[in-house]
């Protein structure tokens, strides 16, 4: 199965249309926002075309098939048998995180997060006037681990923990022992866990462990997921929550209903059902392609002898690059990528102060695009320095 980059011009795609606003120039190769330059699976395309051929696109309910598709996917992918009533259709994971914050905390309450972290987590806490309790992950031997001593201390102040599993941007797929210890600490301190598991299908050579498979946290958790990252349908704004406990589910539903965002997207519903019903073979091939891309980038950095260390990518299609050995201030590093290498990556400091000296690279594209990116990077590094380079 071939995975070539698709020309996205004329589709109003954020990655390209917003590049000028974000980077100040159109003269670069954008490898930032977390969607893919690769076509969605044929089953999704066919389902959307078929639906589009019906000339009415009105208010849409979530059919029984929608719930069955999620239940079957979870049973096969994660070995977790969930009940229909646990599933709450949502508009998107980030809005849902905001609803959960409102549902389970009050202004001034502490919310625990693990940095470096996908920026909307911390932004949501601040926008809702809650207190950010930052448990900074420890970078050692090329990967990130949890500082459990600090986590336990912060948990004593917290009402809620926003878990990113797998973790963005560090690429960690948390193992059973780590999740078990997180859960024990949160249960002991009566801390609700809200888990974003949107990258759960994108795990390589390891296993994603859905939070709800741990019995002892089921009465105190909300799990968010979506087909958006896995099948490249983020623009269809279709996600879901899995909330096993009826009391917790009622509280969440009340807050979501207050938002007025309750209608289904007819195309998002079709995409989810077709992807979860028929996309498994395509996904297996995609993950082979993405792992090859990860290995390709690692190989290029080594071959070109660039002082950039790729953090071990256990999950996601986002590589977290340690660029500190390049000997630049973070501000100069960012400009090096934009002005000299002509590459649009995510600024590591946007994920927290501990992201200083790091950059995030989206590898969900073609091998040819990544080859061009690595060539530009090598050429820029060998070229004359810019102001501020050592």
């Amino acid at each position: 199965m071939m995975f070539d980059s698709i020309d996205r011009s004329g589709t109003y795609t954020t990655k390209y249309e917003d590049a000028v606003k974000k980077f100040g120039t159109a003269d670069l190769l954008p490898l930032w926002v977390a969607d893919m330059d690769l076509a969605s699976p044929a089953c999704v395309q066919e389902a959307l075309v078929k639906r589009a051929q019906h000339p009415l696109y009105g208010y849409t309910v979530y059919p029984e098939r929608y719930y069955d598709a999620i239940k079957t996917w979870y049973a096969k992918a994660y070995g977790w048998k969930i009940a229909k009533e646990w599933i709450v259709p949502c508009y998107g994971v980030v809005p849902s995180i905001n609803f959960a914050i409102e549902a389970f905390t009050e202004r001034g309450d502490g919310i625990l997060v693990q940095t470096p972290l996908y920026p909307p987590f911390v932004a949501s806490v601040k926008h809702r006037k809650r207190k950010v309790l930052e448990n900074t992950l420890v970078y050692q031997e090329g990967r990130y681990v949890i500082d459990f001593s600090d986590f336990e201390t912060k948990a004593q102040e917290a009402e809620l923990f926003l878990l990113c599993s797998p973790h963005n941007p560090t690429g960690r797929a948390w193992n059973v022992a780590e999740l078990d210890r997180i859960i024990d600490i949160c249960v002991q301190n009566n801390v609700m866990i809200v888990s974003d598991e949107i990258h759960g299908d994108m795990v390589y050579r390891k296993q994603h462990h859905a939070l709800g498979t741990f019995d002892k946290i089921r009465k105190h958790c909300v799990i968010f997921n979506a087909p958006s990252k896995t099948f490249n349908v983020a623009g269809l704004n279709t996600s879901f929550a899995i909330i096993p406990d009826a009391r917790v589910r009622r509280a969440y539903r009340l807050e979501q209903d207050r938002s007025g965002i309750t209608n289904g997207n007819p195309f998002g519903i079709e995409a989810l059902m077709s992807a979860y019903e028929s996309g498994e073979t395509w996904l297996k091939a995609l993950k082979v392609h993405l792992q090859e891309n990860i290995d390709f980038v690692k190989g290029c950095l080594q071959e070109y002898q660039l002082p950039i260390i790729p953090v071990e990518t256990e999950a996601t299609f986002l590589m977290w690059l340690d660029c500190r050995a390049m000997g630049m201030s973070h501000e100069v590093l960012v400009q090096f990528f934009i002005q000299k290498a002509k590459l649009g990556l995510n600024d590591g400091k946007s994920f927290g102060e501990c992201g200083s000296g790091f950059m995030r690279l989206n590898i969900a594209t073609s091998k040819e695009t990544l080859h061009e990116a690595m060539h530009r990077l090598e050429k820029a590094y060998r070229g004359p320095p810019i102001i501020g380079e050592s």
Side-chain angles (χ1 to χ4, degrees):
M1 191 176 294
M2 294 295 293
F3 290 95
D4 298 320
S5 289
I6 303 297
D7 181 3
R8 303 177 74 176
S9 59
T11 62
Y12 317 114
T13 177
T14 300
K15 180 182 267 185
Y16 290 85
E17 300 296 332
D18 273 359
V20 174
K21 182 169 65 176
K22 183 172 181 65
F23 301 108
T25 177
D27 182 25
L28 49 68
L29 186 62
L31 297 165
W32 58 294
V33 69
D35 63 9
M36 296 188 271
D37 289 334
L38 312 173
S40 296
C43 61
V44 171
Q45 297 178 49
E46 291 162 5
L48 294 179
V49 169
K50 183 179 178 181
R51 178 63 185 86
Q53 287 173 339
H54 190 290
L56 294 178
Y57 315 112
Y59 295 120
T60 306
V61 300
Y62 294 90
E64 195 71 23
R65 183 181 157 210
Y66 167 93
Y67 297 96
D68 288 343
I70 295 171
K71 287 163 56 182
T72 301
W73 186 263
Y74 260 76
K76 291 174 67 176
Y78 311 126
W80 185 23
K81 293 184 178 180
I82 61 177
K84 173 190 173 182
E85 59 267 23
W86 298 357
I87 301 169
V88 181
C90 305
Y91 175 81
V93 170
V94 172
S96 297
I97 287 172
N98 280 268
F99 301 151
I101 290 171
E102 286 290 342
F104 304 115
T105 65
E106 303 289 340
R107 286 194 172 203
D109 282 349
I111 296 181
L112 187 54
V113 298
Q114 292 177 315
T115 54
L117 183 62
Y118 177 52
F121 276 59
V122 173
S124 296
V125 176
K126 291 180 177 178
H127 290 158
R128 301 290 164 176
K129 309 299 182 185
R130 274 61 168 175
K131 180 181 179 182
V132 177
L133 301 173
E134 193 169 336
N135 172 231
T136 303
L137 298 173
V138 179
Y139 181 48
Q140 60 183 36
E141 298 179 1
R143 70 199 290 264
Y144 282 82
V145 296
I146 299 169
D147 180 347
F148 277 107
S149 176
D150 180 71
F151 185 89
E152 191 160 12
T153 298
K154 299 286 174 57
Q156 294 171 15
E157 297 182 63
E159 296 293 328
L160 187 146
F161 169 43
L162 292 179
L163 171 64
C164 192
S165 178
H167 192 266
N168 173 13
T170 69
R172 277 302 316 277
W174 305 118
N175 61 41
V176 169
E178 289 167 321
L179 290 170
D180 199 54
R181 191 168 177 189
I182 284 171
I183 289 167
D184 282 344
I185 292 170
C186 288
V187 169
Q188 289 164 12
N189 291 278
N190 197 31
V191 175
M192 171 79 68
I193 302 181
V194 172
S195 184
D196 171 4
E197 304 190 7
I198 200 168
H199 291 280
D201 296 317
M202 294 293 184
V203 177
Y204 316 98
R205 301 169 183 165
K206 292 185 180 292
Q207 177 67 40
H208 171 65
H209 303 283
L211 185 70
T213 58
F214 296 79
D215 291 344
K216 55 191 171 184
I217 196 61
R218 284 191 189 171
K219 291 185 180 296
H220 307 282
C221 72
V222 175
I223 295 107
F224 293 125
N225 207 337
S228 53
K229 303 299 182 188
T230 307
F231 298 101
N232 207 27
V233 292
L236 298 180
N237 296 111
T238 297
S239 67
F240 55 91
I242 300 175
I243 312 175
D245 184 76
R247 176 187 57 83
V248 174
R249 192 164 59 249
R250 281 194 300 271
Y252 174 80
R253 275 190 178 276
L254 178 62
E255 197 58 47
Q256 179 168 282
D257 290 348
R258 285 177 57 193
S259 75
I261 303 175
T262 56
N263 292 316
N265 178 328
F267 294 100
I269 291 170
E270 293 289 347
L272 181 147
M273 294 187 300
S274 60
Y276 284 165
E277 290 170 351
S278 306
E280 184 179 4
T281 300
W282 176 88
L283 176 58
K284 287 179 179 178
L286 172 70
K287 287 169 69 174
V288 170
H289 173 76
L290 295 176
Q291 182 65 67
E292 289 175 351
N293 281 359
I294 292 167
D295 294 340
F296 176 77
V297 170
K298 290 166 67 175
C300 285
L301 294 175
Q302 186 173 25
E303 178 186 348
Y304 298 156
Q305 298 183 329
L306 298 175
I308 297 174
I309 300 171
V311 175
E312 187 63 30
T313 308
E314 299 175 350
T316 81
F317 49 78
L318 307 161
M319 293 186 73
W320 189 235
L321 305 178
D322 181 358
C323 306
R324 293 174 298 176
M326 293 184 74
M328 307 175 191
S329 70
H330 185 78
E331 291 68 27
V332 172
L333 175 68
V334 171
Q335 292 309 308
F336 166 84
F337 273 91
I338 296 172
Q339 296 179 5
K340 198 172 177 186
K342 301 296 183 182
L343 296 173
L345 277 64
N346 288 94
D347 178 347
K349 282 184 77 171
S350 69
F351 300 86
E353 284 298 318
C354 56
S356 180
F358 290 77
M359 300 291 286
R360 193 187 76 171
L361 168 68
N362 182 343
I363 55 86
T365 186
S366 67
K367 195 80 85 275
E368 291 74 19
T369 299
L370 289 177
H371 186 272
E372 172 63 20
M374 293 299 102
H375 174 70
R376 291 187 186 193
L377 187 56
E378 194 262 349
K379 182 179 178 182
Y381 181 71
R382 305 293 175 206
I386 60 175
I387 296 174
E389 287 186 59
S390 60

